Structure formats: structure tokens, C-alpha cells
Amino acid sequence: MSDDYVLAADMGGTNLRTSAVSRDGSVVHQRQVPTPRGAEASAVVTAIVDEAELCISELGRRPIAFGLAAAALVDSAGTRVLSSPNLPQLNGLSLADKISDRLGIAVTLENDATAASIGEHWLGASRDVDISICVTLGTGVGGGLIVGGRPFRGASGTAGEVGHICVEPDGVACGCGSHGCLEQYASATAMVRIAREIGVGRPGSKLTTLADFAAVDVYDAGLGGDRVALETFERVGRYLGIAFAGLVNVLNPHMIVIGGGGAGAWNLFIDHVREEMSGRAFEHPAKAAALARSELGNRAGFLGAAKVAFDLADSARETDQSLS
Ligand SMILES: [Zn+2]
């Protein structure tokens, strides 16, 4: 059992990264290819299976299970894609079963932000607490909940969509069909849009001299004291604080972990998050909720998927033992 390993893959909008992970969370092998975005569902399944088989043959031994984290709403059984904005061809597909049939090993599917929350609780920032929320700031805003030390998936598997809490009732249209979702005000994509809005008529800002820029440029400008960039992160921080105030009032968590690429700007927005959250939430849950930066960074998703895969293999083993 000590040399057991699982495969864990993280399929984002850009890359499909497949890792072999041992019981202590160390990564013993890793591969990465671009996510096959425009391809048919069967080609996506084949890409995942091919990468897994290459990982297995390069290591020379078989994993005990496979955990896949994807940017999608996933059913509570960890089998079927309910909805995937990045890969809509997977909607309704029993993705875990398709992969399992081809590889001959148990496969479980997890929402990527829920996987990140599991990863942080296993080996990262929230490892010592029972109730935590993980919020990932990337192309979108993802969320995952840990309640009583276990992932909380809700009635049908979709719990934790922090990015679709409304923070502006008449705000920017969101891909989910609503308006004014947190995702439209705190994702890396939103940071760029907000910086553009604030920069109108502000020729003194470095950002307004750039034809095109990304969230990292807003961050760099902020570090240099650029007012447009600093006001952008103040606004982003306040919107996060509005959503977090609701979350701490409802869930009274020990900790909110912030991860994803946008967490890189932590020092430019976190004071505004804290101030807005404290100003709106009840005093006791606001004080109880530590704000922490992700410790696992972009490893949180696949490490969480690895933990779910170990749990799946262990529960199957226990069932076998109780039957024999
Ligand atoms: Zn939304």
C-alpha cells in the first residue's frame, strides 16, 4: 500500500495536466498537453485516456484510481458533467465512466474549485480547520466548500458556486444567465475590464498607454503605485468583501482561502476585502473567518482530485474486505 499511487488530472480551459501522486501528496510524475477545446467529446475523452496511459507506461506500474478535476458542474456521484462552459460538448456526458471503461481503473470526476478546496484542506492553507471556503480567481471565479472536514457538494453536486453570488443587481451580464455575478467583478478577466473603465480619461496612468493588457499588467502597474491599478484592486476587493460577508454570515467558516492566478495580487486587494467584509457581516463570524492565501497555488486542483481518488480506492477496498 505504501507505494500506491493515483493519477490526478486537472483539465482547465488551456491545459490538461496529468500527474501521478503518492499517498503523501508528492508528485512522482507529470505530463501536460493543451486542452483539446474545439474537439468532439470523444476526442476529449481520448486525449485524457492517452495522457493517462502515457503516464502509466512511463512510470511502469498501475495506479489504484484516477481523479479528474474539470471546470464544470459535476453530479454528486462524481461521474457526469452537468454543464461545462469551456467544453460544452461534454454536457450530459458520463465522463468518468467513459474514461474508466477505456483504462480499466476506477475514475472520479470533481469540479475544479471543489478539488482545490479539498487539496488545500488536505495539504494546504486550510489543513487545520474543519469549515473552509476556497475561492479561485482565474478566468472565472470558482468556489468549493469544506464542511465538517469533508467536501460539501449539496443536493445535486453543484454547491459552492461562489462566483455566481450577485454583487450588483443590474450589473454586467454573466455566462450563467444572470447579471452582476461576483465572477464579473473579481476574475482576472474582470480586473482588466474594470481597469479599462476606471482608466477612461486618465492619461497619467501607465495602463491607459497600453493598447492591450492583462491582469498581470494591472498588478505590475499597481506595484508601481499607478492610481488606476490601485483603484481597480480596491473595487475588486470590495466586491469580494460583499460576497464574503454573505458567506461568513451563512456558513460561519474558520477560513476563506483565496487561490487562482488573481490571488497573486493579494497584497493589493486583501485589506479592502477585509474592510468590506467586516463592515457588512456580523462581528462574530467576520472575526472567526481568517482570510488566507492558497498554499498550493496551481497544484491545489490536481492534489484535491488525487485525494478524492485515494478515498474512492480506499472505500472500494473496505467494501471488498467486508464482503470477503
Ligand atoms: Zn453568473
Side-chain angles (χ1 to χ4, degrees):
M1 268 182 74
S2 58
D3 65 345
D4 280 350
Y5 81 94
V6 294
L7 283 180
D10 193 349
M11 184 166 64
T14 313
N15 290 310
L16 166 63
R17 186 164 40 161
T18 307
S19 312
V21 180
S22 60
R23 285 232 175 238
D24 64 358
S26 49
V27 177
V28 292
H29 196 66
Q30 194 163 70
R31 299 182 45 84
Q32 185 169 304
V33 291
T35 301
R37 292 201 63 159
E40 286 178 15
S42 59
V44 177
V45 173
T46 298
I48 296 166
V49 169
D50 286 352
E51 283 301 292
E53 284 179 333
L54 282 166
C55 229
I56 294 166
S57 72
E58 285 161 5
L59 262 174
R61 54 198 170 89
R62 291 189 64 73
I64 57 170
F66 180 11
L68 172 64
L73 295 184
V74 170
D75 72 349
S76 48
T79 307
R80 199 157 57 91
V81 174
L82 298 176
S83 165
S84 168
N86 289 327
L87 295 166
Q89 64 272 46
L90 301 182
N91 292 354
L93 188 74
S94 292
L95 184 59
D97 292 342
K98 295 267 181 216
I99 300 166
S100 180
D101 289 347
R102 300 262 301 268
L103 287 174
I105 50 176
V107 178
T108 184
L109 180 64
E110 189 67 77
N111 166 270
D112 56 357
T114 299
S117 72
I118 295 167
E120 293 289 346
H121 181 248
W122 184 28
L123 298 165
S126 52
R127 61 187 170 274
D128 294 326
V129 300
D130 271 355
I131 306 169
S132 58
I133 302 165
C134 186
V135 181
T136 55
L137 310 180
T139 314
V141 173
L145 311 177
I146 299 290
V147 176
R150 300 169 65 86
F152 181 83
R153 297 190 174 87
S156 56
T158 72
E161 289 295 330
V162 172
H164 302 280
I165 293 173
C166 183
V167 292
E168 271 294 354
D170 300 314
V172 175
C174 184
C176 72
S178 184
H179 292 265
C181 295
L182 179 64
E183 179 161 294
Q184 301 305 324
Y185 296 90
S187 63
T189 321
M191 290 174 192
V192 173
R193 191 200 70 240
I194 292 169
R196 272 190 216 291
E197 289 167 2
I198 294 177
V200 171
R202 306 268 293 266
S205 167
K206 176 177 173 253
L207 291 169
T208 56
T209 66
L210 301 172
D212 199 18
F213 58 88
V216 67
D217 299 312
V218 187
Y219 175 63
D220 286 343
L223 287 183
D226 187 289
R227 287 302 312 166
V228 168
L230 293 174
E231 286 172 36
T232 299
F233 288 113
E234 177 174 352
R235 200 176 291 182
V236 168
R238 294 204 174 282
Y239 280 116
L240 283 168
I242 292 169
F244 288 7
L247 287 171
V248 303
N249 278 345
V250 172
L251 279 171
N252 186 199
H254 295 111
M255 183 180 285
I256 299 177
V257 181
I258 303 178
W266 173 271
N267 52 344
L268 297 182
F269 64 65
I270 198 62
D271 289 346
H272 304 299
V273 179
R274 197 171 281 121
E275 189 183 320
E276 191 72 24
M277 183 180 92
S278 304
R280 288 173 179 269
F282 283 113
E283 183 184 354
H284 285 93
K287 279 191 174 155
L291 298 178
R293 192 170 167 176
S294 156
E295 288 184 12
L296 302 181
N298 63 8
R299 295 179 300 140
F302 76 77
L303 286 172
K307 178 70 169 72
V308 179
F310 274 119
D311 290 348
L312 177 71
D314 292 345
S315 70
R317 227 172 227 163
E318 278 167 24
T319 308
D320 284 352
Q321 280 166 357
S322 68
L323 290 174
S324 60

